[in-house]
Structure formats: structure tokens, C-alpha cells
Amino acid sequence: MIFFGSALLPVDILLQTLLNQYFASSDCIAFISDDSIQFNYNKTFVYIKPEEENFTLLLLQVSEMGCMDYIVKVNEPQKFMIAFEKIAHFTNTRKSDRKIIFLQDYHQKDVKNNLLEVFKLKESSFFANILIIAPSRNETSSCEYYDLITHKFVGLSNHDQPLYLDQWNSCTKKFYHNENLFPHSMTNMYGKVVKVSCFTYKPYVLLDLNPLLVPSGRDGIEIRIVDEFCRWINCTVEIVRDDKHLWGEIYSYENLTGVGVIGSLVKDRADLGITALYSWYEEYLALDLSAPFVRTAVTCIAPAPRLLASWETPFLPFSFYMWIAIIFTFIYASVALIIAQGCCAKNVFLTTFGMMISQSQNDAGKSWRIRSITGWMLIGGLVLDNAYGGGLASTFTVPKYEKSIDTVQDIVDRKIEWGATHDAWIFSLTLSQEPLMKQLVSQFKTYSFDELERKSFDRSMAYSIEKLPAGYYAIGDYITEKAVLDFMIMLEDFYFEQCVIMLRKSSAYTNKINQLIGRLHESGLLLAWERQVALQHLNYKIQLEVKLSRSKKDVDKIEPLAVRHFLGVFILFGTGVLISFMVLISEIITHKKPNQNINPL
Ligand SMILES: *[C@@H]1O[C@H](CO)[C@@H](O)[C@H](O)[C@H]1NC(C)=O
Ligand SMILES: *[C@@H]1O[C@H](CO)[C@@H](O)[C@H](O)[C@H]1NC(C)=O
Ligand SMILES: *[C@@H]1O[C@H](CO)[C@@H](O)[C@H](O)[C@H]1NC(C)=O
Ligand SMILES: *[C@@H]1O[C@H](CO)[C@@H](O)[C@H](O)[C@H]1NC(C)=O
Ligand SMILES: *[C@@H]1O[C@H](CO)[C@@H](O)[C@H](O)[C@H]1NC(C)=O
């Protein structure tokens, strides 16, 4: 229980009534007053004098403490409002239903007009719950009368006009009408215009649709959310566009400048920002984020693996380690044979090689020692040979592909570029300290729409796409039906994100939007909308092509043998023949004995 000053003024009694009635749910109240106020409040509060030179700084500190409702009794209320609005952008605490009460004493002169001027400020238009307690002069009475005034926050126009709610009388200590003094509960906006910043990004937002097919000319998951929002609270959606800059960015947190959807919000050109905005940290510093409504996973479609070159097919039946094992088998078998022959290396390597490829031997061997070794080697050769034959048959009949790009590691290892039209795709990754993610971010490139479309045909890069919860994909229009055939979706997601709606900090709409999103989740409407929008507006062929891009290659089709399959073997054979021919020629040249008569005649 705190008392300032001595005698209880009527305005203090009125304030006490309001504190009891409307501030029960407040966590902390800031009192800003030139002189003393008397009140009895058993929760946290702070008290600031507005003359202090670093008033704005103090206000910021108070806000950081969590004191987000204000009771103001100053001579220059406009100055307070401007300072307050400024710090509302910087403070990290947010409250959608902030309450501000401006008080005036019966004996303070010339403040009433000043007080009503507050509503004319642009700064006031962002706050729903501003209450002015202004003395109402009544010379005929000894009682003090106080008008309780707010602004016309709802409705189509005149938002800066005062709205007289009630009057309070110091003699009876009663209100005349017992009105709710904070009437803007955001349940009915009476057609107030809500500006929504967005651009066409399927399937979240689609603008400029044919009005014959879609009467409002716009559709999309998020457009349906804001349309539903306005249907619910009786507001009017107005689209604000900055198509050139897409998501845009914040240029300066101090000057509150920026471009694109995010910039429009920072500059207060728009009330709500939509179009696949993720819960980005950088934006959280300057804006309010709503509850998430779509969990989306970002991955890429990468160039699909091609058929392997056919000269590789003879090597495919065995893995690399198997080939090494075979080479060692050859060496050990040769060594065994040399020892069995009594350290004589005559014909050993040729014999061993022959036996490994199941060639019969004309010489059965003189001793049982040699025979048992060659016998085991023949059996070994038989097994190897059959294994190789089986493998070869399968590599011939089942088409073999290059290694596919499945994971982030693959993208990084192969140094493949990935990209889109805007670097919003990497906002979520830029703060990561993981070396893999850092490398991934460095491989991200932005190109213009046309450049992306052109590059989609030359297998030079991967394209980021979004996997949405109902099983559809957000794919840029630069991926055409023809180009998508040569792409395969990656197995691993780069990251996942929660889509949110962004609003100005402490926007009056935040609570209401969150309520709506909760209801949408509850009803499952979001999934239904995603499906409806996808079926209506997305290219189903591309969706299906991407969805099935892996199964297409996983279920390999068996095909009859073609020349293509043997080409590899023949290339090897041809190379072998060529090499042996050259060796033969060089042998003939170097080992030619001058006195030997080659000619039998
Ligand atoms: C504050 O006062 C109200 C009634 O005036 C009471 O219900 C509440 O429990 C009190 N809170 C504390 C923390 O004392
Ligand atoms: C106000 O500013 C002065 C200097 O300008 C500084 O010394 C003082 O600490 C500041 N007060 C607060 C409460 O920050
Ligand atoms: C002034 O007070 C009288 C009674 O004391 C009341 O009838 C009258 O409506 C008041 N005038 C205004 C403008 O409030
Ligand atoms: C919605 O707002 C309009 C004004 O734009 C008003 O005429 C109408 O009555 C409101 N609807 C409801 C249900 O209050
Ligand atoms: C902010 O605006 C001021 C003047 O209006 C200018 O001097 C300053 O460079 C701006 N800061 C940024 C980060 O743009």
C-alpha cells in the first residue's frame, strides 16, 4: 500500500476505482507524473518523473522490466506519446492489449485540449486502449466532474476523433452510464481497414487471379487466414504490395526503414505481414510474431542422377573392397603355388589367373601338394566367377545411375549451388555456427526469375522448395513442367520452420490473430485449405513429378539387353586388344634377333 502526498483528491479516488476495476490482470504499471498521485495498488509498479533528462531511456528500462500499462499525468502528453511509441519499437517486451490512462487534475490548466490532441497523433492510432480522464468544467456545481474519453479506434474513418464514454462525479463517486471504459476488445472492428502486406507466392498467397474464377481476385492459405480473420472481427482487408522486393529486409532498426513485406511492417505501411514469413530472429527483434500456423520443411530438388557411363559396367558387380580382396587372393594364391612348386615361379601367375577365371589346366601337377592347391583354387575361381557373372547380369538388366544427391552433406561435398529468387531462404541458417550449415549458406545464390528458369535446364544447381504439412510443395514458378522431369527431391530436409504472421510490436491485433490461429489448428482447417488451394491453383503435374521423383528411380524397371549394355565390355576388350597389339609390335622390334631367319622359305 503506497501513498504519495497527503489529502486524497477526487481524481485519485477515480483512479483508484479504475485500478481496481481494470488493472487486476496487469503485471506491472508505470506511473508517469509530474506531481504526486495517491493510490493503493498491491502489485508491482514504477514511478517516473517526466522532467528527467533521459526520460526516454527510463521509459525503455521500465518497459524492459515488464511494466506495460501506463498511467500518465503530465503537462505535455503528446511528448510522452511520441517517446512512448518510439520505445515500443525498441523494447523487447510486447503486450497486445496495453492500457494507457491520461489523467488531468481539476486544477491543472489548459491541459484538456492538449490531452485531446493526443488522439490526433499517428502514434495513438496503433493503440486500442487509451483512456483520457479530463475534468469537465461545471461552474454551477461544487462537485468535480470528469469526462472519460477514448478514441474512435474502430469503424471506417475518423479514428482520431474522441469518443465520450462516461462521466464521473466526485460527489456521488459514481459513473453515469457504467460503460466499459476500454471498449475496444477487438471483437468487432466495424469495418476498420486492416492493411496486409504480401506478394504472390504459391500456395501461401495468390494475387491478381481471374475475378471470374475467384471473386476477390486473391487466394492462398494465408490469404484465407486474413480473410477469415476479418470475417471474424468485422474488418476490411486491404492489400499492400511491394512486389519487387518480395520478403524484403529491414535496413535500419533505428530509423525503421526497410523494403518488401518486412519493410512495410517496420514502416507501418501495413498492419499484418504474410507470405511464408518464418519465425526469424532478426525480424523478431523489430516485430511481433503470431503463433505458428504452418510447419514447413525446406529442402531442395537437385538434378536427378543420370545413367552411368557404360564402360563402368564391367566393374560394377563387385564393390571397391571386393576388387582389392580379389587382387590379394590372386597374390596369395600365386605365392602358395610358388611355394608348392618348390620356389619355382614358372607359369605361376598365368596359371593362377586362369584358374581364377575358371580356365582348365592342361597340366594336373606332379605332386599332391600342387594338386590340392590348384584344386582349391579352381573351386575358389568357380565361386568368384559365378558371383561376378550374377552381378554382371544384374548390372546389365537393371539400369544403374550415378550417385544421387540425398543429404546436405552431398550438396556440400559436391559444391552444388542452390538458390532461389531471394535470400529469405537462408535467414534461418545465417546465425548457425555449424560448419556444415555455414558451408551450405555460402553455396546459396540468388538469381532473377529468368536466370533461374534458364539454369533449370542445364543441371547446374539445386532449387529450394518447401514441403508443406498436407503433403504439397511450394515450388517457384521458374521450375517448369519440362524442367522438373530432370530433378529429384532430396531425402534430407535442410531445416524446418514455423510460418507466422508478423505485426508491428505490441500490435493490438496480435492476441486476436493468435486466438484465430488456435481455432484454425483446432478445426484442422489449415490442412484443408492447403489441399484446396493446391488442387485449385498449383500445377498438379509438377507437384506429382516432385512427389514421385524418388520412387520413379527406386523401383527400377528391368529392360532387355541392348547394345548399350555391352558397349562397356567391348570398350575394355578393344583397349586390351590395342594394348596387347602394341606390346607385340614393340616386342618384335626390340627382341628381333639379327641372325634368326624368320622367313621359313
Ligand atoms: C491485491 O488485492 C486484491 C484485492 O484488492 C486481492 O484480490 C489480491 O489477492 C491482492 N494481491 C496481492 C498480491 O496481495
Ligand atoms: C541519465 O543520463 C546521464 C548522462 O546523460 C547519466 O549520467 C545518468 O546515469 C542517466 N540516468 C539513467 C537513469 O540512466
Ligand atoms: C452541471 O451540474 C449540474 C448539476 O450539478 C448538472 O445538472 C449539469 O448537467 C452539469 N453540466 C454539465 C455540462 O455537466
Ligand atoms: C460490421 O461493420 C459494419 C460497418 O462497416 C457494420 O455495419 C456491421 O453492423 C458490422 N457487423 C456486425 C456483425 O457488427
Ligand atoms: C538514420 O537517419 C539519420 C538521419 O535521418 C541518418 O543520419 C542515419 O544515417 C540513418 N541511419 C541509418 C542506419 O540509416
Side-chain angles (χ1 to χ4, degrees):
M1 192 189 278
I2 301 291
F3 288 105
F4 288 100
S6 50
L8 213 54
L9 297 171
V11 71
D12 294 334
I13 299 169
L14 172 56
L15 180 62
Q16 189 64 50
T17 318
L18 296 180
L19 278 178
N20 293 346
Q21 206 169 339
Y22 295 100
F23 288 81
S25 65
S26 276
D27 298 319
C28 172
I29 301 180
F31 290 89
I32 291 121
S33 172
D34 295 319
D35 46 46
S36 64
I37 313 180
Q38 291 186 57
F39 59 91
N40 173 1
Y41 187 64
N42 63 5
K43 288 207 209 152
T44 322
F45 67 88
V46 288
Y47 175 79
I48 319 177
K49 266 191 177 315
E51 298 96 50
E52 291 180 45
E53 51 185 305
N54 22 24
F55 174 61
T56 315
L57 191 67
L58 274 171
L59 216 50
L60 185 62
Q61 282 169 356
V62 162
S63 182
E64 291 290 293
M65 280 165 57
C67 292
M68 285 176 287
D69 294 318
Y70 294 81
I71 288 169
V72 187
K73 189 177 172 193
V74 294
N75 287 324
E76 289 171 310
Q78 279 142 302
K79 234 170 102 184
F80 164 79
M81 201 60 215
I82 290 166
F84 168 69
E85 212 280 324
K86 202 163 168 217
I87 65 113
H89 280 291
F90 293 114
T91 174
N92 195 28
T93 50
R94 298 121 205 269
K95 190 174 184 211
S96 192
D97 54 348
R98 283 168 181 269
K99 294 190 181 77
I100 306 170
I101 294 183
F102 288 99
L103 281 187
Q104 190 198 342
D105 221 316
Y106 213 69
H107 310 292
Q108 263 174 304
K109 293 269 182 287
D110 305 328
V111 183
K112 181 168 183 182
N113 283 337
N114 262 346
L115 271 179
L116 293 183
E117 285 298 308
V118 165
F119 291 145
K120 297 229 159 60
L121 295 174
K122 180 167 171 279
E123 282 80 2
S124 305
S125 65
F126 303 118
F127 300 95
N129 299 318
I130 302 180
L131 181 68
I132 286 178
I133 301 177
S136 167
R137 301 272 163 222
N138 191 339
E139 308 301 343
T140 63
S141 157
S142 61
C143 302
E144 292 184 7
Y145 290 85
Y146 288 95
D147 286 330
L148 298 144
I149 312 160
T150 186
H151 55 165
K152 286 204 174 81
F153 186 70
V154 297
L156 275 168
S157 56
N158 293 335
H159 297 138
D160 57 357
Q161 293 304 306
L163 177 68
Y164 286 84
L165 293 167
D166 212 337
Q167 200 177 45
W168 187 80
N169 179 333
S170 68
C171 299
T172 59
K173 300 196 171 45
K174 283 216 164 59
F175 296 102
Y176 276 102
H177 309 293
N178 277 323
E179 285 281 332
N180 178 4
L181 298 180
F182 293 100
H184 305 309
S185 61
M186 312 296 290
T187 47
N188 191 346
M189 306 300 292
Y190 292 96
K192 184 175 168 115
V193 172
V194 172
K195 285 178 274 178
V196 178
S197 175
C198 58
F199 62 93
T200 296
Y201 176 68
K202 296 176 185 176
Y204 291 97
V205 175
L206 292 98
L207 302 173
D208 309 320
L209 296 174
N210 184 348
L212 294 177
L213 301 177
V214 185
S216 66
R218 54 172 193 251
D219 203 349
I221 305 171
E222 286 179 300
I223 287 286
R224 288 185 184 201
I225 293 177
V226 292
D227 279 343
E228 178 62 25
F229 181 62
C230 270
R231 208 180 60 74
W232 187 37
I233 67 166
N234 197 14
C235 57
T236 316
V237 173
E238 184 189 303
I239 302 287
V240 174
R241 299 175 68 159
D242 184 2
D243 289 355
K244 197 168 126 249
H245 293 104
L246 308 178
W247 290 273
E249 60 181 312
I250 301 172
Y251 287 152
S252 154
Y253 287 82
E254 281 145 43
N255 292 8
L256 297 171
T257 50
V259 289
V261 170
I262 297 164
S264 302
L265 286 170
V266 169
K267 289 194 291 190
D268 285 319
R269 278 184 64 215
D271 300 306
L272 309 180
I274 56 172
T275 321
L277 300 173
Y278 298 164
S279 33
W280 292 311
Y281 176 70
E282 301 285 338
E283 278 61 36
Y284 172 76
L285 295 179
L287 300 166
D288 257 11
L289 310 189
S290 76
F293 52 88
V294 161
R295 185 263 194 204
T296 169
V298 170
T299 188
C300 269
I301 46 172
R306 282 176 300 194
L307 276 177
L308 273 182
S310 61
W311 64 267
E312 287 178 53
T313 42
F315 297 105
L316 289 179
F318 290 157
S319 68
F320 178 69
Y321 293 107
M322 187 68 186
W323 283 116
I324 290 184
I326 285 171
I327 289 169
F328 276 100
T329 311
F330 176 73
I331 293 168
Y332 291 148
S334 308
V335 170
L337 206 57
I338 288 170
I339 293 169
Q341 286 182 357
C343 293
C344 160
K346 186 165 170 263
N347 278 348
V348 159
F349 294 111
L350 205 60
T351 313
T352 317
F353 185 65
M355 280 185 294
M356 280 181 79
I357 56 171
S358 289
Q359 295 301 301
S360 59
Q361 300 298 308
N362 49 8
D363 178 11
K366 287 167 209 81
S367 69
W368 276 106
R369 213 154 53 147
I370 298 176
R371 280 185 198 173
S372 67
I373 287 184
T374 47
W376 283 116
M377 278 161 62
L378 275 171
I379 292 172
L382 194 71
V383 172
L384 273 180
D385 225 41
N386 279 313
Y388 184 79
L392 202 60
S394 84
T395 55
F396 276 171
T397 47
V398 181
K400 281 282 180 287
Y401 292 92
E402 293 168 340
K403 227 177 145 313
S404 56
I405 300 165
D406 297 338
T407 58
V408 173
Q409 191 71 50
D410 288 345
I411 285 266
V412 167
D413 286 348
R414 301 198 199 176
K415 302 226 172 343
I416 295 173
E417 272 185 358
W418 62 292
T421 48
H422 192 271
D423 48 14
W425 292 87
I426 50 165
F427 283 175
S428 307
L429 299 178
T430 39
L431 289 176
S432 174
Q433 294 299 315
E434 251 182 282
L436 185 66
M437 285 299 148
K438 281 179 151 173
Q439 181 62 30
L440 189 66
V441 167
S442 71
Q443 279 168 237
F444 182 87
K445 296 277 168 346
T446 53
Y447 292 106
S448 68
F449 186 93
D450 297 330
E451 185 80 0
L452 284 172
E453 187 167 5
R454 195 182 58 69
K455 281 172 101 71
S456 70
F457 288 100
D458 58 15
R459 302 175 54 87
S460 58
M461 62 184 289
Y463 290 78
S464 44
I465 63 167
E466 280 182 58
K467 283 198 235 171
L468 300 175
Y472 295 88
Y473 301 96
I475 305 170
D477 277 342
Y478 36 83
I479 301 289
T480 52
E481 251 177 59
K482 227 171 113 198
V484 76
L485 295 174
D486 207 14
F487 281 99
M488 189 158 90
I489 189 165
M490 290 175 56
L491 281 181
E492 193 182 35
D493 295 339
F494 286 17
Y495 61 92
F496 73 84
E497 262 291 7
Q498 303 285 1
C499 287
V500 297
I501 292 175
M502 290 192 189
L503 308 97
R504 91 193 300 277
K505 236 183 222 173
S506 295
S507 165
Y509 296 107
T510 311
N511 279 354
K512 221 55 194 167
I513 278 274
N514 286 345
Q515 269 178 34
L516 177 77
I517 289 171
R519 287 175 167 213
L520 293 178
H521 276 301
E522 218 169 49
S523 59
L525 259 182
L526 287 164
L527 292 180
W529 283 349
E530 182 190 327
R531 174 149 315 170
Q532 286 166 7
V533 172
L535 290 179
Q536 208 174 340
H537 300 289
L538 298 187
N539 185 328
Y540 205 65
K541 240 175 148 175
I542 292 181
Q543 294 284 319
L544 217 55
E545 226 14 275
V546 169
K547 205 181 182 89
L548 303 180
S549 61
R550 290 205 85 88
S551 43
K552 212 166 51 184
K553 266 113 203 175
D554 287 347
V555 186
D556 288 321
K557 45 187 185 299
I558 308 227
E559 49 180 336
L561 283 182
V563 178
R564 172 168 71 77
H565 295 114
F566 293 106
L567 219 56
V569 186
F570 283 117
I571 289 171
L572 281 188
F573 177 68
T575 330
V577 168
L578 206 69
I579 292 173
S580 43
F581 189 66
M582 288 194 305
V583 169
L584 179 70
I585 302 235
S586 62
E587 267 182 7
I588 288 171
I589 291 168
T590 53
H591 294 283
K592 199 176 189 179
K593 291 184 184 122
N595 53 356
Q596 194 181 354
N597 193 356
I598 303 170
N599 193 343
L601 291 176

